[in-house]
Amino acid sequence: MKLRPLHDRVVVKRIEQETTTASGIVIPGSAAEKPDQGEVLAVGPGKHDDQGKLVAMAVKVGDRVLFGKYAGQTVKVDGDELMVMREDDLMAVIEK
Protein backbone atom coordinates (compact mmCIF):
# COMPACT_ATOMS: atom_id res chain seq x y z
CA MET A 1 0.00 0.00 0.00
CA LYS A 2 1.24 3.47 -0.83
CA LEU A 3 -0.66 5.18 1.97
CA ARG A 4 0.84 5.39 5.47
CA PRO A 5 -1.40 7.05 8.06
CA LEU A 6 0.05 9.45 10.61
CA HIS A 7 -0.60 9.72 14.35
CA ASP A 8 -3.84 8.00 15.44
CA ARG A 9 -5.33 7.60 11.97
CA VAL A 10 -6.33 4.37 10.24
CA VAL A 11 -7.00 3.48 6.60
CA VAL A 12 -10.19 1.45 6.15
CA LYS A 13 -11.71 -0.19 3.08
CA ARG A 14 -15.49 -0.48 3.20
CA ILE A 15 -16.88 -4.01 3.13
CA GLU A 16 -19.82 -4.23 0.77
CA GLN A 17 -22.91 -5.72 2.36
CA GLU A 18 -25.37 -8.00 0.64
CA THR A 19 -27.87 -6.31 -1.62
CA THR A 20 -30.64 -8.85 -0.99
CA THR A 21 -33.00 -8.73 1.98
CA ALA A 22 -33.84 -11.81 4.08
CA SER A 23 -37.05 -12.27 2.09
CA GLY A 24 -35.13 -12.28 -1.22
CA ILE A 25 -35.83 -8.73 -2.38
CA VAL A 26 -32.89 -7.27 -4.30
CA ILE A 27 -31.98 -3.70 -3.34
CA PRO A 28 -30.63 -1.60 -6.23
CA GLY A 29 -27.24 0.06 -5.72
CA SER A 30 -28.73 3.56 -5.86
CA ALA A 31 -31.10 2.81 -2.97
CA ALA A 32 -28.60 1.02 -0.76
CA GLU A 33 -26.82 2.94 1.99
CA LYS A 34 -23.05 2.96 2.21
CA PRO A 35 -21.81 0.16 4.44
CA ASP A 36 -20.70 1.04 7.96
CA GLN A 37 -18.24 -1.85 8.22
CA GLY A 38 -14.73 -2.07 6.91
CA GLU A 39 -11.37 -3.77 7.07
CA VAL A 40 -8.36 -1.93 8.48
CA LEU A 41 -5.62 -1.77 5.82
CA ALA A 42 -3.08 0.45 7.59
CA VAL A 43 -2.60 1.87 11.10
CA GLY A 44 -0.61 4.88 12.27
CA PRO A 45 1.82 4.67 15.19
CA GLY A 46 -0.59 6.25 17.70
CA LYS A 47 -0.77 9.62 19.41
CA HIS A 48 1.14 11.17 22.27
CA ASP A 49 -0.48 11.79 25.66
CA ASP A 50 0.05 14.86 27.87
CA GLN A 51 3.31 13.44 29.24
CA GLY A 52 4.69 12.81 25.74
CA LYS A 53 4.34 9.01 25.84
CA LEU A 54 3.10 7.25 22.74
CA VAL A 55 -0.33 5.68 23.23
CA ALA A 56 -0.54 2.49 21.15
CA MET A 57 -3.44 1.90 18.78
CA ALA A 58 -6.21 -0.50 19.81
CA VAL A 59 -6.79 -1.78 16.24
CA LYS A 60 -4.44 -3.60 13.92
CA VAL A 61 -4.25 -4.34 10.21
CA GLY A 62 -6.86 -6.92 9.21
CA ASP A 63 -9.41 -6.03 11.92
CA ARG A 64 -13.05 -5.69 10.86
CA VAL A 65 -14.47 -2.51 12.35
CA LEU A 66 -17.70 -0.53 12.66
CA PHE A 67 -17.70 3.22 12.08
CA GLY A 68 -20.20 6.05 11.87
CA LYS A 69 -22.09 7.01 8.74
CA TYR A 70 -20.22 10.29 8.29
CA ALA A 71 -16.84 9.25 9.75
CA GLY A 72 -13.55 9.91 8.02
CA GLN A 73 -12.48 11.24 4.64
CA THR A 74 -12.83 9.26 1.42
CA VAL A 75 -9.75 9.06 -0.80
CA LYS A 76 -8.93 7.14 -3.99
CA VAL A 77 -5.66 5.22 -4.08
CA ASP A 78 -4.79 3.05 -7.10
CA GLY A 79 -8.45 2.99 -8.13
CA ASP A 80 -9.68 1.82 -4.71
CA GLU A 81 -11.97 3.99 -2.61
CA LEU A 82 -10.54 4.07 0.92
CA MET A 83 -11.38 5.96 4.08
CA VAL A 84 -8.90 7.70 6.36
CA MET A 85 -10.22 8.33 9.87
CA ARG A 86 -9.09 8.81 13.43
CA GLU A 87 -9.18 5.83 15.75
CA ASP A 88 -11.78 7.75 17.81
CA ASP A 89 -14.19 7.51 14.84
CA LEU A 90 -14.21 3.71 15.11
CA MET A 91 -17.01 2.34 17.27
CA ALA A 92 -16.13 -1.34 17.60
CA VAL A 93 -14.02 -4.23 16.38
CA ILE A 94 -16.03 -7.17 15.03
CA GLU A 95 -14.71 -10.37 16.62
CA LYS A 96 -14.67 -13.52 14.51
Side-chain angles (χ1 to χ4, degrees):
M1 168 170 296
K2 297 179 182 178
L3 196 62
R4 182 175 50 98
L6 301 175
H7 307 294
D8 64 335
R9 289 183 173 83
V10 295
V11 177
V12 176
K13 182 172 183 174
R14 287 186 191 267
I15 296 174
E16 297 298 324
Q17 296 175 342
E18 293 195 22
T19 56
T20 307
T21 64
S23 60
I25 299 172
V26 176
I27 301 172
S30 59
E33 290 187 21
K34 288 187 176 182
D36 56 358
Q37 294 183 24
E39 180 181 356
V40 177
L41 299 180
V43 178
K47 65 179 176 180
H48 295 279
D49 63 9
D50 295 336
Q51 288 76 34
K53 292 184 180 182
L54 187 65
V55 178
M57 301 285 278
V59 296
K60 60 186 181 305
V61 173
D63 281 348
R64 251 182 112 156
V65 294
L66 290 176
F67 49 86
K69 193 176 200 175
Y70 302 107
Q73 296 290 320
T74 303
V75 295
K76 281 204 173 214
V77 177
D78 297 333
D80 289 329
E81 190 172 294
L82 305 174
M83 297 186 63
V84 179
M85 63 184 72
R86 291 190 176 275
E87 186 182 32
D88 293 343
D89 292 338
L90 300 176
M91 296 187 286
V93 174
I94 301 171
E95 300 291 337
K96 295 179 182 178

